[in-house]
Amino acid sequence: YWCPHQFNNQMNPFMHEGTTGPEIWRQAKKKVDYFICGIGTGGTVAGVGRYLKEQNPNVKIIAVEPSESRTHVGAVHTPHDIIGLGPGVKSKFIDDLDPGRPFEEGPRGYIDEFQHANSEQSIEWARNITMQEGIMVGPSSGAVMKVAVEVASRPEAKGKTIVLVLSSHGIRYTAHPMWEGVKAESIMALPSVPDMSPEPLLKWPLDRNTPADIQEVTKEIHAAAIVSYKGAGGIITAGVDSTLGGTQSRSRRTSIESSREGGGGDSIDFSFPLTP
Protein backbone atom coordinates (compact mmCIF):
# COMPACT_ATOMS: atom_id res chain seq x y z
CA TYR A 1 0.00 0.00 0.00
CA TRP A 2 0.97 3.63 -0.31
CA CYS A 3 0.58 6.14 2.53
CA PRO A 4 0.65 9.85 1.63
CA HIS A 5 1.59 10.90 5.21
CA GLN A 6 -0.75 13.85 4.79
CA PHE A 7 -0.10 15.16 8.31
CA ASN A 8 3.63 15.54 7.63
CA ASN A 9 4.09 15.62 3.86
CA GLN A 10 5.03 19.15 2.78
CA MET A 11 3.45 18.47 -0.62
CA ASN A 12 0.10 18.87 1.17
CA PRO A 13 0.25 22.65 1.76
CA PHE A 14 2.50 23.09 -1.27
CA MET A 15 -0.17 21.76 -3.66
CA HIS A 16 -2.89 23.90 -2.06
CA GLU A 17 -0.66 26.94 -2.43
CA GLY A 18 -0.01 26.12 -6.08
CA THR A 19 -3.50 25.01 -7.16
CA THR A 20 -6.35 25.68 -4.71
CA GLY A 21 -5.18 29.18 -3.84
CA PRO A 22 -4.84 30.40 -7.45
CA GLU A 23 -8.18 28.81 -8.35
CA ILE A 24 -9.94 30.69 -5.55
CA TRP A 25 -8.21 33.96 -6.45
CA ARG A 26 -9.15 33.59 -10.11
CA GLN A 27 -12.79 32.61 -9.52
CA ALA A 28 -13.25 35.39 -6.95
CA LYS A 29 -11.93 37.87 -9.55
CA LYS A 30 -9.00 38.80 -7.30
CA LYS A 31 -11.26 39.99 -4.51
CA VAL A 32 -11.02 37.93 -1.31
CA ASP A 33 -11.40 39.66 2.04
CA TYR A 34 -11.86 36.60 4.28
CA PHE A 35 -10.80 32.99 3.80
CA ILE A 36 -12.32 30.49 6.26
CA CYS A 37 -11.23 26.86 6.40
CA GLY A 38 -11.35 23.96 8.84
CA ILE A 39 -8.26 22.35 10.34
CA GLY A 40 -7.85 18.64 9.60
CA THR A 41 -4.26 18.16 8.57
CA GLY A 42 -3.93 21.94 8.34
CA GLY A 43 -2.59 21.69 4.79
CA THR A 44 -5.43 23.58 3.10
CA VAL A 45 -5.50 26.60 5.39
CA ALA A 46 -1.68 26.74 5.42
CA GLY A 47 -1.25 26.49 1.65
CA VAL A 48 -4.20 28.63 0.54
CA GLY A 49 -3.58 31.12 3.33
CA ARG A 50 0.01 31.68 2.23
CA TYR A 51 -1.00 32.26 -1.39
CA LEU A 52 -3.85 34.64 -0.59
CA LYS A 53 -1.71 36.69 1.80
CA GLU A 54 0.84 37.13 -0.98
CA GLN A 55 -1.90 38.43 -3.29
CA ASN A 56 -3.63 40.60 -0.69
CA PRO A 57 -1.86 41.22 2.64
CA ASN A 58 -5.14 42.52 4.10
CA VAL A 59 -7.07 39.28 3.60
CA LYS A 60 -8.13 37.68 6.89
CA ILE A 61 -7.29 33.96 7.21
CA ILE A 62 -9.54 32.19 9.72
CA ALA A 63 -8.98 28.58 10.79
CA VAL A 64 -11.82 26.54 12.31
CA GLU A 65 -11.66 23.66 14.75
CA PRO A 66 -14.16 21.87 17.02
CA SER A 67 -15.04 23.62 20.27
CA GLU A 68 -14.35 20.27 21.94
CA SER A 69 -10.83 20.09 20.48
CA ARG A 70 -9.23 23.52 20.34
CA THR A 71 -5.70 22.17 20.41
CA HIS A 72 -4.35 25.03 18.28
CA VAL A 73 -5.09 27.55 21.02
CA GLY A 74 -3.68 25.31 23.75
CA ALA A 75 -6.89 23.55 24.87
CA VAL A 76 -7.21 19.83 25.58
CA HIS A 77 -8.73 17.52 22.98
CA THR A 78 -12.03 15.85 23.90
CA PRO A 79 -14.29 13.63 21.74
CA HIS A 80 -16.61 15.27 19.20
CA ASP A 81 -18.79 14.40 16.18
CA ILE A 82 -17.17 16.64 13.56
CA ILE A 83 -15.50 14.07 11.34
CA GLY A 84 -12.57 15.54 9.41
CA LEU A 85 -11.72 18.29 11.90
CA GLY A 86 -9.94 18.21 15.24
CA PRO A 87 -8.09 14.87 15.04
CA GLY A 88 -6.57 15.54 18.44
CA VAL A 89 -3.06 16.33 17.19
CA LYS A 90 -1.58 19.70 16.39
CA SER A 91 -0.96 20.45 12.74
CA LYS A 92 2.71 20.41 11.76
CA PHE A 93 1.96 22.89 8.98
CA ILE A 94 0.40 25.39 11.40
CA ASP A 95 3.19 24.80 13.91
CA ASP A 96 5.71 25.64 11.19
CA LEU A 97 4.17 29.11 10.81
CA ASP A 98 5.84 30.02 14.12
CA PRO A 99 8.15 27.15 15.11
CA GLY A 100 8.72 26.61 18.79
CA ARG A 101 6.04 29.03 19.93
CA PRO A 102 3.40 27.51 22.24
CA PHE A 103 -0.10 27.11 20.85
CA GLU A 104 -2.25 29.80 22.43
CA GLU A 105 -5.05 32.26 21.67
CA GLY A 106 -4.33 34.85 19.01
CA PRO A 107 -2.85 34.94 15.49
CA ARG A 108 -0.16 32.53 14.36
CA GLY A 109 1.90 33.38 11.30
CA TYR A 110 -0.48 34.46 8.54
CA ILE A 111 -3.49 32.86 10.25
CA ASP A 112 -5.33 35.78 11.82
CA GLU A 113 -7.95 33.92 13.89
CA PHE A 114 -8.75 30.49 15.27
CA GLN A 115 -12.51 30.11 15.53
CA HIS A 116 -14.64 27.13 16.52
CA ALA A 117 -18.03 25.38 16.43
CA ASN A 118 -19.28 22.54 18.59
CA SER A 119 -20.75 19.25 17.33
CA GLU A 120 -24.38 20.28 17.71
CA GLN A 121 -23.86 23.58 15.87
CA SER A 122 -21.91 21.87 13.08
CA ILE A 123 -24.62 19.26 12.51
CA GLU A 124 -27.35 21.91 12.57
CA TRP A 125 -25.58 24.02 9.95
CA ALA A 126 -24.82 21.01 7.75
CA ARG A 127 -28.53 20.19 7.73
CA ASN A 128 -29.41 23.83 7.01
CA ILE A 129 -27.10 23.93 3.98
CA THR A 130 -28.45 20.61 2.70
CA MET A 131 -32.16 21.35 3.09
CA GLN A 132 -32.22 25.07 2.35
CA GLU A 133 -29.48 25.45 -0.27
CA GLY A 134 -29.53 21.98 -1.84
CA ILE A 135 -25.82 21.46 -1.13
CA MET A 136 -25.40 18.15 0.72
CA VAL A 137 -22.43 18.49 3.08
CA GLY A 138 -21.03 16.91 6.21
CA PRO A 139 -20.53 18.28 9.74
CA SER A 140 -17.06 19.72 9.06
CA SER A 141 -18.61 21.97 6.41
CA GLY A 142 -21.34 22.85 8.89
CA ALA A 143 -18.69 24.04 11.35
CA VAL A 144 -17.08 26.27 8.74
CA MET A 145 -20.44 27.70 7.66
CA LYS A 146 -21.37 28.51 11.26
CA VAL A 147 -18.18 30.54 11.62
CA ALA A 148 -18.67 32.17 8.20
CA VAL A 149 -22.15 33.37 9.16
CA GLU A 150 -20.77 34.88 12.36
CA VAL A 151 -17.99 36.62 10.45
CA ALA A 152 -20.47 37.94 7.86
CA SER A 153 -22.50 39.43 10.74
CA ARG A 154 -19.61 41.63 11.84
CA PRO A 155 -20.08 45.32 10.94
CA GLU A 156 -16.65 45.52 9.33
CA ALA A 157 -17.49 42.56 7.04
CA LYS A 158 -20.36 44.38 5.31
CA GLY A 159 -19.89 44.25 1.55
CA LYS A 160 -16.81 42.04 1.83
CA THR A 161 -16.07 38.84 -0.09
CA ILE A 162 -15.92 35.79 2.18
CA VAL A 163 -14.58 32.51 0.78
CA LEU A 164 -14.96 29.27 2.68
CA VAL A 165 -14.18 25.62 2.02
CA LEU A 166 -17.01 23.07 2.23
CA SER A 167 -14.71 20.10 2.22
CA SER A 168 -16.80 16.98 1.54
CA HIS A 169 -20.13 15.70 0.22
CA GLY A 170 -22.72 14.64 2.79
CA ILE A 171 -23.19 11.23 1.13
CA ARG A 172 -20.01 10.18 2.91
CA TYR A 173 -21.77 10.56 6.24
CA THR A 174 -24.87 8.40 5.82
CA ALA A 175 -23.91 6.44 8.95
CA HIS A 176 -23.39 9.66 10.96
CA PRO A 177 -25.97 10.51 13.66
CA MET A 178 -26.75 13.76 11.80
CA TRP A 179 -29.00 11.80 9.39
CA GLU A 180 -30.87 9.67 11.95
CA GLY A 181 -34.05 11.72 11.57
CA VAL A 182 -33.97 11.53 7.77
CA LYS A 183 -33.36 7.77 7.82
CA ALA A 184 -36.25 7.25 10.24
CA GLU A 185 -38.51 9.27 7.94
CA SER A 186 -37.44 7.24 4.90
CA ILE A 187 -38.25 3.99 6.69
CA MET A 188 -41.72 5.29 7.43
CA ALA A 189 -42.21 6.37 3.82
CA LEU A 190 -40.81 3.20 2.25
CA PRO A 191 -41.09 0.30 4.72
CA SER A 192 -39.91 -2.28 2.16
CA VAL A 193 -37.33 -1.79 -0.58
CA PRO A 194 -38.63 -2.28 -4.15
CA ASP A 195 -37.26 -5.21 -6.09
CA MET A 196 -34.80 -3.58 -8.51
CA SER A 197 -33.66 -6.81 -10.22
CA PRO A 198 -33.36 -6.52 -14.02
CA GLU A 199 -35.54 -9.55 -14.72
CA PRO A 200 -39.30 -8.86 -14.79
CA LEU A 201 -41.37 -10.69 -12.18
CA LEU A 202 -44.50 -10.71 -14.32
CA LYS A 203 -44.69 -10.84 -18.09
CA TRP A 204 -47.41 -11.71 -20.56
CA PRO A 205 -48.21 -10.99 -24.26
CA LEU A 206 -50.62 -8.20 -25.05
CA ASP A 207 -52.70 -9.79 -27.75
CA ARG A 208 -55.62 -8.09 -26.04
CA ASN A 209 -54.98 -4.36 -26.16
CA THR A 210 -57.85 -2.87 -24.16
CA PRO A 211 -57.81 -1.62 -20.56
CA ALA A 212 -60.59 -4.09 -19.74
CA ASP A 213 -58.58 -7.04 -21.05
CA ILE A 214 -55.52 -5.95 -19.08
CA GLN A 215 -57.63 -5.75 -15.94
CA GLU A 216 -58.72 -9.34 -16.49
CA VAL A 217 -55.06 -10.42 -16.68
CA THR A 218 -54.17 -8.61 -13.48
CA LYS A 219 -57.08 -10.26 -11.68
CA GLU A 220 -55.46 -13.59 -12.42
CA ILE A 221 -52.66 -12.58 -10.03
CA HIS A 222 -55.13 -11.38 -7.39
CA ALA A 223 -54.59 -7.69 -8.19
CA ALA A 224 -57.05 -5.05 -9.39
CA ALA A 225 -55.52 -2.51 -11.76
CA ILE A 226 -56.66 0.61 -13.58
CA VAL A 227 -54.61 0.80 -16.74
CA SER A 228 -54.32 3.34 -19.54
CA TYR A 229 -52.75 1.77 -22.64
CA LYS A 230 -51.07 4.19 -25.03
CA GLY A 231 -50.55 1.83 -27.98
CA ALA A 232 -47.83 -0.45 -29.33
CA GLY A 233 -44.35 0.54 -28.18
CA GLY A 234 -45.85 3.10 -25.81
CA ILE A 235 -46.20 3.38 -22.05
CA ILE A 236 -48.75 1.73 -19.80
CA THR A 237 -49.44 3.63 -16.59
CA ALA A 238 -51.10 1.52 -13.92
CA GLY A 239 -52.69 2.53 -10.65
CA VAL A 240 -52.52 -0.74 -8.74
CA ASP A 241 -54.53 -1.75 -5.67
CA SER A 242 -52.94 -5.06 -4.79
CA THR A 243 -55.31 -7.53 -3.13
CA LEU A 244 -54.83 -11.03 -1.85
CA GLY A 245 -57.21 -13.03 0.30
CA GLY A 246 -59.56 -10.11 0.61
CA THR A 247 -56.91 -7.81 2.12
CA GLN A 248 -56.36 -4.55 0.20
CA SER A 249 -53.08 -2.63 0.40
CA ARG A 250 -52.32 1.03 -0.19
CA SER A 251 -52.57 2.18 -3.81
CA ARG A 252 -49.33 2.19 -5.77
CA ARG A 253 -48.52 3.92 -9.04
CA THR A 254 -45.91 2.84 -11.55
CA SER A 255 -44.99 3.25 -15.19
CA ILE A 256 -44.61 0.04 -17.14
CA GLU A 257 -42.90 -0.02 -20.50
CA SER A 258 -44.46 -1.89 -23.39
CA SER A 259 -41.91 -3.72 -25.54
CA ARG A 260 -42.21 -5.84 -28.65
CA GLU A 261 -40.76 -9.35 -28.66
CA GLY A 262 -39.80 -11.28 -31.79
CA GLY A 263 -42.88 -11.54 -33.91
CA GLY A 264 -45.26 -11.49 -30.97
CA GLY A 265 -47.41 -8.86 -29.42
CA ASP A 266 -46.39 -6.22 -26.92
CA SER A 267 -45.63 -7.16 -23.31
CA ILE A 268 -45.80 -5.58 -19.87
CA ASP A 269 -42.86 -5.89 -17.48
CA PHE A 270 -43.45 -5.26 -13.78
CA SER A 271 -40.17 -4.42 -12.08
CA PHE A 272 -41.42 -4.98 -8.54
CA PRO A 273 -43.71 -7.52 -6.87
CA LEU A 274 -47.41 -6.83 -6.35
CA THR A 275 -47.44 -7.75 -2.68
CA PRO A 276 -50.48 -7.28 -0.43
Side-chain angles (χ1 to χ4, degrees):
Y1 64 91
W2 176 75
C3 179
H5 297 285
Q6 60 180 345
F7 282 86
N8 297 288
N9 190 339
Q10 287 294 336
M11 289 301 292
N12 181 345
F14 176 78
M15 291 306 297
H16 284 294
E17 181 179 357
T19 60
T20 315
E23 180 180 355
I24 289 172
W25 187 247
R26 182 175 61 254
Q27 291 192 13
K29 303 185 185 306
K30 301 182 179 182
K31 181 174 174 56
V32 179
D33 299 298
Y34 293 88
F35 175 70
I36 306 174
C37 180
I39 305 173
T41 65
T44 306
V45 69
V48 176
R50 183 188 300 276
Y51 177 85
L52 292 179
K53 280 287 189 180
E54 290 175 352
Q55 310 310 309
N56 174 18
N58 295 320
V59 65
K60 299 296 183 184
I61 307 300
I62 300 176
V64 180
E65 55 188 342
S67 303
E68 300 92 334
S69 181
R70 302 196 67 197
T71 57
H72 294 89
V73 295
V76 176
H77 167 78
T78 59
H80 59 85
D81 295 326
I82 312 174
I83 299 174
L85 301 188
V89 295
K90 299 176 179 67
S91 167
K92 166 181 168 48
F93 312 123
I94 294 178
D95 186 18
D96 289 346
L97 300 182
D98 198 346
R101 177 189 161 198
F103 284 92
E104 56 191 4
E105 292 279 3
R108 187 181 188 92
Y110 47 75
I111 297 179
D112 298 282
E113 300 179 35
F114 290 88
Q115 293 295 336
H116 60 98
N118 62 36
S119 297
E120 183 178 349
Q121 293 167 333
S122 302
I123 290 172
E124 178 184 3
W125 275 102
R127 287 177 181 152
N128 288 343
I129 300 168
T130 300
M131 293 187 289
Q132 297 178 22
E133 302 297 334
I135 304 173
M136 189 177 183
V137 296
S140 60
S141 298
V144 173
M145 179 58 79
K146 178 262 186 184
V147 171
V149 169
E150 292 177 344
V151 170
S153 300
R154 299 174 182 176
E156 65 271 20
K158 184 177 181 180
K160 302 295 185 180
T161 299
I162 301 173
V163 176
L164 56 149
V165 175
L166 304 181
S167 51
S168 57
H169 196 287
I171 198 65
R172 300 176 63 183
Y173 304 96
T174 54
H176 193 281
M178 68 180 291
W179 298 123
E180 284 180 352
V182 175
K183 288 190 286 187
E185 181 180 349
S186 68
I187 292 173
M188 292 287 291
L190 187 66
S192 60
V193 180
D195 186 343
M196 302 302 290
S197 60
E199 294 298 325
L201 298 178
L202 301 172
K203 190 172 187 178
W204 61 89
L206 285 183
D207 294 326
R208 301 163 294 177
N209 287 342
T210 69
D213 288 335
I214 296 173
Q215 283 189 13
E216 289 299 317
V217 175
T218 58
K219 287 178 181 178
E220 294 174 11
I221 60 167
H222 306 283
I226 302 172
V227 182
S228 174
Y229 183 53
K230 301 299 183 183
I235 299 296
I236 292 176
T237 303
V240 180
D241 286 322
S242 175
T243 59
L244 186 62
T247 302
Q248 185 163 336
S249 72
R250 292 176 298 176
S251 175
R252 302 182 183 180
R253 293 195 63 81
T254 183
S255 293
I256 309 164
E257 288 195 24
S258 165
S259 60
R260 187 173 293 279
E261 296 182 306
D266 295 333
S267 64
I268 301 177
D269 295 345
F270 281 93
S271 61
F272 64 91
L274 295 176
T275 54

